[in-house]
Amino acid sequence: MVQTILRLPAVKAETGASRSTIYLRIQQGLWPKPVRLGPRSVGWPTSEVAAINAARISGLPDDEIRALVIKLEATRKNASKAFQGE
């Protein structure tokens, strides 16, 4: 499965949120941490952005969105381990 990584301008366009709001939500556990692409660049998998957007649109409360973020980050970590052959 090919996964596209969205940089911050694309994430802002997809969510309608500002940079500061996205990073505040990361601190609050309401948004997944970014994927490091290089020493000075980060991005987010499109599937994670879509999942969080869908949760917000459906009106999920913050505690359920936090649980979703934990699940998304765990899935990302497990996929990384599988890719590395662990």
Side-chain angles (χ1 to χ4, degrees):
M1 174 173 96
V2 175
Q3 189 70 253
T4 303
I5 303 292
L6 298 176
R7 299 289 306 274
L8 185 60
V11 172
K12 287 169 44 179
E14 288 285 321
T15 63
S18 68
R19 177 192 184 284
S20 58
T21 297
I22 292 167
Y23 281 96
L24 175 64
R25 288 181 180 163
I26 291 170
Q27 288 178 339
Q28 295 171 335
L30 298 171
W31 191 263
K33 293 179 180 93
V35 174
R36 180 130 322 263
L37 302 173
R40 295 183 52 179
S41 62
V42 297
W44 289 265
T46 54
S47 60
E48 293 180 8
V49 173
I52 296 295
N53 280 343
R56 288 230 173 258
I57 291 167
S58 68
L60 289 181
D62 285 353
D63 59 331
E64 290 185 37
I65 293 176
R66 280 187 188 93
L68 174 61
V69 168
I70 290 167
K71 180 181 173 187
L72 291 170
E73 289 180 344
T75 300
R76 184 195 301 172
K77 186 175 183 178
N78 290 337
S80 174
K81 285 182 180 180
F83 181 72
Q84 296 172 359
E86 292 182 12

